[in-house]
Amino acid sequence: MGETRQQPHLNGAYYGPSIPPPSKTYHRPGRDGGGGGCCCNPFSCCCSCIMNCICTCICQIVFTILIIAGLAVLVIWFIFRPNTVKFYADDASLTEFTINSNNTLRFNLALNLTIRNPNKRIGIYYDQIEARAFYQGQRFSTVQLPNFYQGHKNTSSQRAEFKGQNLVLLGAKEMSKYNDDKSSGTYSIDVKLYLRIRLKFVFLKSSKVKPKIDCDLRIPLSSNATAAPAAFQSQRCDFDWR
């Protein structure tokens, strides 16, 4: 290296050669993940907007349909004012109810039912009426009642007859209750009606509904073919819209 010369106006200090300015660099948008977050696909934003619009429209349509359906149901209710149909067990005749040593129940039960439709503008189609008889939770007989149509403000009658024998599996507690009923001469029998009905609103018919009727009865045993009229007390059955 040659000898370093000092400049007189620098008073003996040497700062080295001058530093060149930094070179300019260029960066193209869209390469190596750059571009400040801009999307290289011009259709992605459009697709996202379209999907958002579709979802919003669907939600608005569904919400509008729900509001219209709710208003329609409310208007129909105010017009027709539906009331629950009333079921009554008016009379019952029990001429045989014995359980032998083989747990076989022999029975002969007849039940008269009254059905009251209190509605002024609603008719009822009874497409199926299945009556089941139970004793201490054990079903011992099932019968089908006739189908019929019941008009406005109408009262109809049905008769269910259970006769025959069937196996019932009663434990010690249930047999003790049976012996108590036998001693008193009055048996606790539960009759349930399983219905399939349609409601008629002027010219419109509803889809089928399946209510259940529960008649929890205390029926005295009669020694002859008919029970005494005052022995059985008429009672209203429970209506359940399941």
Side-chain angles (χ1 to χ4, degrees), residues 97-99 135 177-187:
F97 203 80
T98 57
I99 300 177
Y135 182 69
K177 179 64 171 61
Y178 167 76
N179 291 328
D180 292 341
D181 289 349
K182 185 177 180 180
S183 299
S184 65
T186 303
Y187 295 85

Side-chain angles (χ1 to χ4, degrees), residues 72-122:
V73 171
L74 187 62
V75 169
I76 291 175
W77 187 87
F78 273 111
I79 293 175
F80 293 97
R81 297 292 181 92
N83 294 308
T84 302
V85 181
K86 298 177 176 62
F87 285 74
Y88 296 91
D90 286 333
D91 190 22
S93 172
L94 183 65
T95 58
E96 185 177 11
F97 203 80
T98 57
I99 300 177
N100 60 22
S101 58
N102 295 325
N103 293 323
T104 299
L105 172 65
R106 297 181 60 87
F107 52 90
N108 191 351
L109 168 64
L111 179 65
N112 292 331
L113 298 167
T114 297
I115 307 171
R116 174 64 179 168
N117 177 15
N119 296 286
K120 296 180 180 180
R121 300 178 178 89
I122 300 176

Side-chain angles (χ1 to χ4, degrees), residues 219-238:
I219 306 176
L221 182 67
S222 176
S223 58
N224 52 21
T226 58
F232 178 80
Q233 296 182 355
S234 175
Q235 68 181 73
R236 182 175 174 177
C237 303
D238 295 330

Side-chain angles (χ1 to χ4, degrees), residues 144-156:
Q144 295 289 337
L145 304 185
N147 304 342
F148 69 99
Y149 170 76
Q150 187 175 37
H152 316 146
K153 304 286 288 185
N154 180 265
T155 300
S156 305

